[in-house]
Each structure stands twice: as C-alpha cells, then as structure tokens.
Amino acid sequence: MLAELACFEHHCGERHSITEAIYNCPKCGGLLEVRLSGAVDAPALKETWRERRKCNQALDQSGVWRYRELLPFEGQEASVVSLREGNTPLLDAPRAAEYGGLDRITFKHQGFNPTGSFKDNGMTCGVAQANRLGRKRVACVSTGNTSASMAAYASAAGLDSIVFIPHGNISYGKLAQALEYGARTLQVEANFDQILALVRALAKRLGIYLLNSINPFRIEGQKTIVIEMLDQRDWNPPDWIVLPGGNLGNVSAFGKALRELLELGFIRKMPRLAVIQAEGAAPFYDFVRTRHEFRSVADPKTLATAIKIGDPVSWPKALHEITSTDGVVEKVSEQEIADAKAIVGRCGIGCEPASAATLAGIRKLTRAGVVRADEDVVAVLTGNVLKDPDYIYRYHTGQLQDPEGRPISATFGNRPVVVPNDPDAIVRILEA
Ligand code: F0G
C-alpha cells in the first residue's frame, strides 16, 4: 500500500513523504498520522497471516511484522530489528469477570512482550524508521515502559539511546531495564509533561530522533495489538475493547487499526473503545465529559506512574477515535486500581497498576449500565506484573498510601508470614 504522512487536522490535511523526520505538521503544527492508500485482498491476507505463524523467519514470527501489509515499511525489511514482539495471549479470567460485573472477560496481555509492555509493538517500528532515516541516536521521555522498550530495541539495532525520565517517579523495574539495556539515562527533576516539552526543544540541537508516541511510526506498530487480537478471535470483533489512557497514543493506535480494518473489509462491525484514566491524572475524562476546551492537569497524581500524565499530546486523535467508535472514557480511584490489580493477580495473571485501571473501569461501567454483563469485553493489560513489585509488596502488607498520604486498604491483601525454623511451629501456623 502507498504510505504518506498526513496532518491529522481536517482543515489542513498537508501531506509529506514518510522519509521526512517530522513529528508535527510543518504548516499548522497538528499531529501527523501515516495515511495508507490502496486496496488489499482481505480474505487472502487473513490466510497468509495465519500461515506465517508456522514459519521460522523472524519477520513472520513477530506479532507485529507478520501483519506488515498494513504497516508503512514495504521493501524495508533490512531496516527491521525484531525481538519477537507481539504474540501476546488472550486469557480468560472468570474471577475478574465476576469482579467486573461481566459474565466473561478476556485479557489481551501485552505484558508478555520482550520488555514486558505493549510499547514493544510500537518500538520495533519506531526503530525501523530510525534505521530507514539513517539516524544513529534515538531518545524518548517516559514514565518507564517506553524507555525500557526503546533502550532494548536501540541496543539490538546498534543505535545510541537517551532516556529522559521524571526523577523519583518511575518504578525500579523500568529504570533497571533502561540501565541494563544500555541507555544513557537522565533523571530530570520535572514531571513527564515538562520533560516532553524540554526534549522536543532539544531534539534538533542534539540530533536525536524522537521515539515518543507522537512519532506516527510507533502508532503504526501499536495497531498490530488490535490486528493480532482480531486474528486470534477469527476476526470476530468484541463489543468493547478497554484500555488505560495516559499520553493517549495507544487509544489512537487502536482506533486507527479498527478504522482501517473496517474500511479494508477485515471486519464488519466496530467494537466500542473504553479508555480508563486514574482520577488524579484524568484530563481526557474531564474533556470528554464537558466538551469545552481541553485543559491539562498541571500536577497529575497517581501511584499508577505509567499513566501519570497531565497533558497528553495525542488527545485530538484520541477524541476522534472515541467518537468514531462510539466509545466512552471513565476514571477510577487509587483504591479501585489497587483492588482490581489484586484481583487480576488472583486470576494467576497479574499486571502493573496502570493496566488494572481497565478492570476497575469495567466494574464502574457495568454498575452504571454502560456495559452490559453479557457483552463481549476484551481488556488490554498493558504491562507485566513485575514492572512494579514495590507497589505490590506495599499493598499486600497494608503499607500502600495514595499520593496524598491516605492509606489504601489491603482489601485483598496477602501478607507474607515470618516463621521460625521449626517444623512443629510451621504446621501449627498453616493449620490454624
Ligand atoms: N499502560 C502502561 C503500562 C503504560 O506504560 C502506558 C504509557 C499506558 C498504559 C498509557 O498508554 O500513553 O498510549 O495512553 N506509558 C508511557 C511511557 C507514557 O512512557 O512508558 P498511552
């Protein structure tokens, strides 16, 4: 298919070559998206994609590049570095369904990715684009997962990477990954939104290629989360796809994927998107409720640090995707996130705090009658349970506090017990 960069603003619509290293429209400053044009044979491609699962070639094994016909990298195979991203499972979770007020729920668990989050789906494309452009130095601002993913893919590709993170505000699991994968790691004394503005200003001076989710090629890669999900469901769209919202890149990617799949004849029905934000970092929720002007939150607060973002850059795209899928936006409290997370854990599945916002949001949406119990719901768990072990330990031992210092109840707490080295004492404790 033919691919171009197009300004997302309808009144502008400027087009640029996909080989230009730009992140915003040079004419109006709007967001950019990759525009694919041309037709495909959907039934034939469905067969090809299924066949590729049996193949040992790296590109076919990747749950991103398997779907390369819908990505803007035709003829660019040599630019691709794959860590076998994607291929994430759909998991049934009856206990979570009951908690969420549903007859059934399926989790699409992106924490099974090589660096433990959905960012890998997009990053393999972002790094392929850096390679195509001949850029040797990449950078991102991150609440943790983007930096872990970028560090890994950049190193695998032999590129230098610079990570900018809010000092003291990302989990150790994620910081550790950036260090281990070899990124130059700068902990800036500012929040995510402030650092993003800083790095956008620095990009030219330092000759870096920016791999934040404003980069439209990352969004293209994240489309494959939805494409793979539908492939795994034999192209039967669910009623709802639920996901957490931070910088709103992922909802933009999901909506774009669904629009393209519908237009190209892969699916006949549009699922509805539900975006869940944390109460202390919910500017998109507020905006969709009021539909006045978009107001950022100057000092976002949540223990779900992955989505601690007050000024999400992709909100115009996210608004479009929520509108075109008849979607909804909900917000949830710190207690609701913590309890939902423990329930996902009890299903034997587990996820990081931001991901659990999905189940907490579903519980609210079923109680409000927005989602019906018998509807077919897929919730996307965006990050692995081991990303933030500190949060888990505090919750289960009753030490977790919200950002205002108020205690979070260990509703489903599971305290470890210290025992003496004495078999009789251990039997007494376990059989009490
Ligand atoms: N869940 C997790 C685990 C995340 O890491 C993020 C974003 C989101 C949800 C929200 O996705 O921004 O596309 O709406 N993390 C980014 C990062 C911001 O830097 O790792 P979004």
Side-chain angles (χ1 to χ4, degrees):
M1 292 185 103
L2 184 72
E4 285 177 301
L5 281 175
C7 178
F8 195 75
E9 293 298 324
H10 278 304
H11 64 263
C12 177
E14 274 260 302
R15 303 269 175 139
H16 294 268
S17 158
I18 51 167
T19 55
E20 279 187 55
I22 46 178
Y23 315 102
N24 286 92
C25 173
K27 190 170 162 204
C28 78
L31 296 167
L32 294 173
E33 77 165 4
V34 172
R35 198 68 56 79
L36 296 171
S37 48
V40 296
D41 181 344
L45 268 186
K46 286 181 185 177
E47 294 246 329
T48 305
W49 293 342
R50 195 55 70 89
E51 278 299 308
R52 284 180 184 161
R53 289 198 203 177
K54 294 190 227 154
C55 184
N56 284 329
Q57 298 293 321
L59 287 196
D60 291 346
Q61 284 192 349
S62 162
V64 172
W65 297 104
R66 181 178 304 137
Y67 305 104
R68 53 191 172 270
E69 284 78 6
L70 297 190
L71 300 176
F73 289 94
E74 208 179 314
Q76 287 294 318
E77 287 74 9
S79 300
V80 173
V81 173
S82 169
L83 296 171
R84 309 303 184 274
E85 51 290 321
N87 296 306
T88 62
L90 288 177
L91 303 169
D92 277 330
R95 192 164 185 169
E98 194 190 329
Y99 183 78
L102 294 170
D103 298 341
R104 207 188 140 202
I105 191 170
T106 312
F107 289 122
K108 170 84 172 147
H109 205 327
Q110 292 300 113
F112 281 62
N113 260 300
T115 77
S117 85
F118 73 96
K119 305 291 180 177
D120 295 341
N121 284 68
M123 202 53 74
T124 184
C125 288
V127 164
Q129 183 65 8
N131 276 339
R132 161 155 64 192
L133 299 175
R135 306 296 286 261
K136 297 288 176 226
R137 198 182 226 195
V138 294
C140 70
V141 184
S142 178
T143 56
N145 280 322
T146 300
S147 51
S149 183
M150 188 191 75
Y153 281 85
S155 286
L159 307 176
D160 288 338
S161 62
I162 310 170
V163 153
F164 295 83
I165 48 178
H167 184 41
N169 266 305
I170 79 166
S171 72
Y172 267 110
K174 300 172 190 178
L175 175 59
Q177 284 181 292
L179 302 178
E180 186 81 354
Y181 296 135
R184 284 286 295 276
T185 303
L186 306 181
Q187 307 191 78
V188 188
E189 285 169 333
N191 69 27
F192 176 91
D193 308 299
Q194 295 162 330
I195 308 171
L196 186 54
L198 174 80
V199 172
R200 286 175 79 164
L202 275 176
K204 257 223 163 89
R205 267 170 81 181
L206 292 173
I208 50 190
Y209 185 58
L210 253 191
L211 284 178
N212 271 91
S213 59
I214 48 166
N215 185 311
F217 295 91
R218 277 204 36 215
I219 299 297
E220 289 301 294
Q222 286 172 214
K223 285 189 323 192
T224 62
I225 300 168
V226 162
I227 302 174
E228 182 181 77
M229 171 202 302
L230 289 162
D231 185 2
Q232 289 165 320
R233 293 174 52 102
D234 298 319
W235 304 98
N236 282 315
D239 297 310
W240 291 92
I241 299 175
V242 187
L243 73 163
N247 218 14
L248 304 174
N250 216 21
V251 59
S252 307
F254 283 20
K256 184 171 193 282
L258 291 170
R259 281 188 286 117
E260 290 177 356
L261 291 172
L262 193 72
E263 267 167 40
L264 294 168
F266 287 88
I267 53 171
R268 293 229 161 74
K269 181 191 104 173
M270 196 66 142
R272 298 175 72 183
L273 290 172
V275 175
I276 319 295
Q277 298 208 287
E279 260 175 21
F284 189 53
Y285 169 87
D286 292 338
F287 174 62
V288 170
R289 270 286 147 104
T290 60
R291 297 273 171 148
H292 289 319
E293 65 187 302
F294 190 87
R295 290 222 183 119
S296 55
V297 173
D299 186 17
K301 291 195 174 98
T302 171
L303 299 179
T305 49
I307 51 173
K308 189 174 166 184
I309 293 177
D311 192 11
V313 283
S314 293
W315 74 260
K317 286 185 178 179
L319 177 65
H320 179 73
E321 306 309 350
I322 284 293
T323 309
S324 50
T325 62
D326 190 21
V328 298
V329 185
E330 185 54 275
K331 65 176 180 182
V332 289
S333 70
E334 296 297 306
Q335 182 73 52
E336 288 168 326
I337 293 174
D339 289 340
K341 179 171 144 53
I343 294 289
V344 178
R346 290 278 180 99
C347 296
I349 292 173
C351 64
E352 68 163 281
S355 312
T358 53
L359 181 59
I362 288 166
R363 186 173 158 97
K364 268 184 108 164
L365 290 169
T366 53
R367 287 185 167 181
V370 177
V371 175
R372 283 196 331 265
D374 63 351
E375 285 189 293
D376 184 352
V377 178
V378 178
V380 178
L381 299 178
T382 43
N384 190 285
V385 66
L386 287 174
K387 287 280 188 175
D388 197 349
D390 187 54
Y391 180 106
I392 300 178
Y393 184 78
R394 284 175 199 264
Y395 176 81
H396 286 289
T397 55
Q399 299 173 65
L400 196 64
Q401 294 184 338
D402 75 10
E404 314 290 352
R406 287 179 300 236
I408 289 180
S409 306
T411 320
F412 305 105
N414 182 23
R415 240 173 222 282
V417 183
V418 179
V419 296
N421 183 7
D422 171 355
D424 294 333
I426 292 175
V427 168
R428 265 198 311 278
I429 289 164
L430 287 179
E431 302 209 325

